Amino acid sequence: MPAREHIERPTAMYRAVAARVAQDIRDGRYQPGDLLPSEADMVAMYGVGKHTVRSAVAELRTMGLVESRQGKGTIVLGGGALPATVVERSISRTAKGIWGVPQMEQADAPAVSRTTLDGPAGALLDQVDQDAISVDRVLYDPSTGARAAHRTLIPMATTADVPSLAQTPDAEITELYHQLAQAGLTLTFTDRITARTPYPDEQAALRIPDASPLMITYRITSDADTARPLLCEELKTPAALCQLDYPVTPTRAPAARAPRRRTRSA
Amino acid sequence: MPAREHIERPTAMYRAVAARVAQDIRDGRYQPGDLLPSEADMVAMYGVGKHTVRSAVAELRTMGLVESRQGKGTIVLGGGALPATVVERSISRTAKGIWGVPQMEQADAPAVSRTTLDGPAGALLDQVDQDAISVDRVLYDPSTGARAAHRTLIPMATTADVPSLAQTPDAEITELYHQLAQAGLTLTFTDRITARTPYPDEQAALRIPDASPLMITYRITSDADTARPLLCEELKTPAALCQLDYPVTPTRAPAARAPRRRTRSA
DNA sequence: TATCATTTGTTCGTATGTATC
DNA sequence: CGATACATACGAACAAATGAT
């Protein structure tokens, strides 16, 4: 057992209350689905002020252990279990230029618009401030109801080389890949994954439970010969509802990996 | 004394204040590194109570826009940029049975212990309540200071087949793979990724900035012939500091994947 | 349908502790 | 040391949602 440097907090009552209740949840004294004692009850139970209890419960909420509902109470959530929906991130190739991508159902028709590339997607495409076609979809898993936001970004520089992309940008992703392959390009794919706390609009659109992070995946499609990025898929999934699944295929090359370390661009 | 600014009330005053300040940050009126006006100033600026301002600032903190420090003030963080450290998740094979895995530096010597498999790792290994050897490491990226927690779980069922694993469980991961391969097993790898709000101890151990999610990756090593899971690597990375990078290699097989959908186990 | 008790959400006030400069 | 700023904690009151009567 390694010496664990325990950081002693200068006693904060609300943290102590939160830790106590959290332990009670882990010990099973409060079962998932149960209601916690009401704020008034906890004020009496622990002999502290209402504000202290509220801060403690807020702590439990941001820890993802409970969820509060006005007029009803504070519900204990099931802790530790993996999210139900598994998002397959593999790509299969049935024939030359024919790509298979596991997909979720679409909630609505895709929304096509013209945007300027900025932020992470622009940086990864190496096309900051350049124009692109943006195709937005809301995906969902019928069996669990989990929602995800999908965006395809097609830089205008790519449509210049492969004009057919601009004709039907809202086609299936596999079709876009097919068109790129038919233009004589050899495709390689890289996924870049990060996570953050969702914005309020994302929280509403994807029905994200309280305090659950958002996982964001950028799939960059590049040309193998020139290493030039051609296309970007952005997928936003609520971490509480989705896992990502990657089959890791060993590469035979002796790991000729350039140490490409991204520097903070803003 | 700052000028007094009027503010509309859509729903909750503290949300309105938070939205206003968030917009000011996005519009560049508050630059990254700047200090927000003090709580007392904001009370005067917006004509609201101290509690309302505190709730608004708390909102901004959980949104990841600012960070508060006692005695100093509330600092505006730089938003939108991708985290600096890129964690490569590829596996290369230089020769038969010789595996290459990109790795970060180790902070300390590995800690070996005996545990009972439970939670997500146990479920993914299909070995709930079975015994296993656990090897814990703290990794870090010297160039950015980012820390990550790595755990190797070796089920006793696997050491029964490959006894050498139990001899030096704290060897390099590649060495463990090598021993499995020498035992006549054909290895396949799958990564399963999720994210959640970190626990306080994780927050302290990994130096996670306020309200940043934790990304958790499970790499399951299985035998290709029997599809039996042999080994699990668990990697916890702070999302604010790390991205995960996956090269997606298309599989030639026509996606003969069983739709294994996990159900909530607790 | 309407009323009512319960429970959380929001807002105000005040006071004290503690870290930073 | 003092001034400033955030953190914690007590109090009170009303609003809004919920569920049962």
Side-chain angles (χ1 to χ4, degrees):
Chain A
M1 187 64 131
R4 198 154 164 52
E5 46 178 314
H6 192 65
I7 293 206
E8 205 55 58
R9 284 237 187 277
T11 58
M13 272 311 286
Y14 80 95
R15 282 180 191 276
V17 172
R20 166 63 174 276
V21 177
Q23 195 55 53
D24 284 347
I25 290 174
R26 277 192 269 273
D27 290 350
R29 268 190 282 279
Y30 301 127
Q31 290 291 319
D34 283 359
L35 289 181
L36 285 188
S38 76
E39 292 175 359
D41 287 347
M42 285 202 260
V43 166
M45 283 168 65
Y46 302 116
V48 295
K50 177 188 164 114
H51 208 304
T52 306
V53 167
R54 279 196 65 78
S55 297
V57 175
E59 190 91 339
L60 296 172
R61 270 198 301 270
T62 64
M63 287 167 64
L65 286 176
V66 302
E67 205 175 81
S68 295
R69 278 184 213 166
Q70 190 174 163
K72 193 175 180 191
T74 298
I75 304 157
V76 178
L77 301 176
L82 279 173
T85 298
V86 176
V87 181
E88 303 270 350
R89 295 295 291 170
S90 62
I91 296 180
S92 58
R93 184 167 51 176
T94 52
K96 191 165 185 61
I98 308 292
W99 306 91
V101 178
Q103 278 206 312
M104 298 162 81
E105 304 259 353
Q106 277 183 219
D108 290 306
V112 182
S113 63
R114 178 100 173 232
T115 53
T116 302
L117 289 169
D118 61 350
L124 288 171
L125 280 170
D126 201 15
Q127 297 257 336
V128 177
D129 289 334
Q130 302 299 307
D131 278 346
I133 299 172
S134 168
V135 184
D136 283 284
R137 294 174 168 89
V138 174
L139 309 178
Y140 73 99
D141 178 350
S143 65
T144 64
R147 286 161 172 264
H150 185 276
R151 169 173 292 174
T152 311
L153 289 167
I154 312 171
M156 298 311 288
T158 304
T159 64
D161 293 345
V162 188
S164 64
L165 286 177
Q167 308 293 326
T168 54
D170 56 345
E172 294 265 331
I173 291 294
T174 53
E175 174 60 24
L176 300 184
Y177 290 160
H178 185 54
Q179 290 179 13
L180 286 169
Q182 277 194 318
L185 299 163
T186 307
L187 305 187
T188 62
F189 308 91
T190 303
D191 274 24
R192 194 63 68 87
I193 307 162
T194 185
R196 59 171 166 76
T197 310
Y199 302 137
D201 60 322
E202 294 168 332
Q203 205 155 11
L206 300 180
R207 315 257 209 283
I208 299 182
D210 250 19
S212 162
L214 190 68
M215 286 194 290
I216 305 165
T217 305
Y218 300 98
R219 172 168 289 174
I220 303 291
T221 305
S222 302
D223 179 25
D225 302 323
T226 63
R228 192 167 69 92
L230 302 167
L231 197 91
C232 175
E233 286 181 68
E234 179 195 72
L235 182 70
K236 297 181 180 178
T237 56
L241 306 176
C242 298
Q243 310 167 60
L244 302 175
D245 185 284
Y246 283 88
V248 182
T249 312
T251 56
R252 197 167 295 273
R257 55 192 219 87
R260 51 175 160 157
R261 204 139 255 156
R262 295 211 64 80
T263 50
R264 212 166 269 270
S265 61
Chain B
M1 180 69 119
R4 178 167 179 136
E5 305 184 29
H6 183 64
I7 228 169
E8 286 301 324
R9 173 201 296 253
T11 50
M13 208 54 191
Y14 78 94
R15 283 181 192 277
V17 173
R20 167 62 175 275
V21 177
Q23 195 55 54
D24 284 348
I25 290 174
R26 276 191 273 273
D27 290 349
R29 289 180 61 186
Y30 301 125
Q31 291 290 319
D34 283 358
L35 289 181
L36 285 189
S38 76
E39 292 176 356
D41 285 347
M42 284 201 261
V43 166
M45 283 167 66
Y46 302 119
V48 296
K50 179 185 168 78
H51 246 104
T52 306
V53 167
R54 276 197 68 76
S55 298
V57 175
E59 189 91 339
L60 296 172
R61 270 197 301 270
T62 64
M63 286 166 65
L65 286 177
V66 303
E67 206 174 81
S68 295
R69 277 184 214 167
Q70 190 175 163
K72 192 175 180 191
T74 297
I75 304 158
V76 178
L77 301 175
L82 279 174
T85 298
V86 176
V87 181
E88 303 269 351
R89 296 295 291 169
S90 61
I91 296 180
S92 58
R93 185 167 52 176
T94 52
K96 190 164 184 61
I98 308 292
W99 305 91
V101 179
Q103 277 207 310
M104 299 163 80
E105 306 259 353
Q106 277 183 217
D108 291 305
V112 182
S113 63
R114 178 98 173 234
T115 54
T116 301
L117 289 169
D118 62 349
L124 288 171
L125 280 169
D126 202 16
Q127 297 255 337
V128 178
D129 288 335
Q130 302 299 307
D131 278 345
I133 300 172
S134 168
V135 183
D136 283 285
R137 293 175 169 90
V138 174
L139 310 177
Y140 74 98
D141 178 348
S143 64
T144 64
R147 286 161 172 264
H150 184 276
R151 169 174 291 174
T152 310
L153 290 166
I154 311 171
M156 298 312 287
T158 303
T159 65
D161 292 346
V162 188
S164 63
L165 286 178
Q167 308 293 326
T168 54
D170 56 346
E172 294 265 332
I173 292 294
T174 53
E175 173 60 24
L176 300 184
Y177 290 158
H178 185 54
Q179 290 181 13
L180 286 170
Q182 279 194 319
L185 299 163
T186 308
L187 305 187
T188 62
F189 308 91
T190 302
D191 274 24
R192 194 63 67 88
I193 307 162
T194 183
R196 60 171 166 77
T197 310
Y199 302 138
D201 62 322
E202 294 169 332
Q203 206 156 11
L206 300 179
R207 314 256 209 284
I208 299 180
D210 251 18
S212 162
L214 191 67
M215 286 193 290
I216 304 164
T217 304
Y218 300 99
R219 171 167 291 175
I220 303 292
T221 305
S222 303
D223 179 25
D225 302 324
T226 63
R228 191 167 70 92
L230 302 167
L231 197 91
C232 175
E233 286 180 69
E234 178 196 73
L235 181 71
K236 297 181 180 176
T237 55
L241 306 176
C242 299
Q243 310 167 58
L244 302 175
D245 185 285
Y246 283 89
V248 183
T249 312
T251 55
R252 197 166 296 273
R257 303 188 62 79
R260 50 180 158 152
R261 202 142 256 155
R262 295 211 62 80
T263 50
R264 212 166 268 269
S265 63

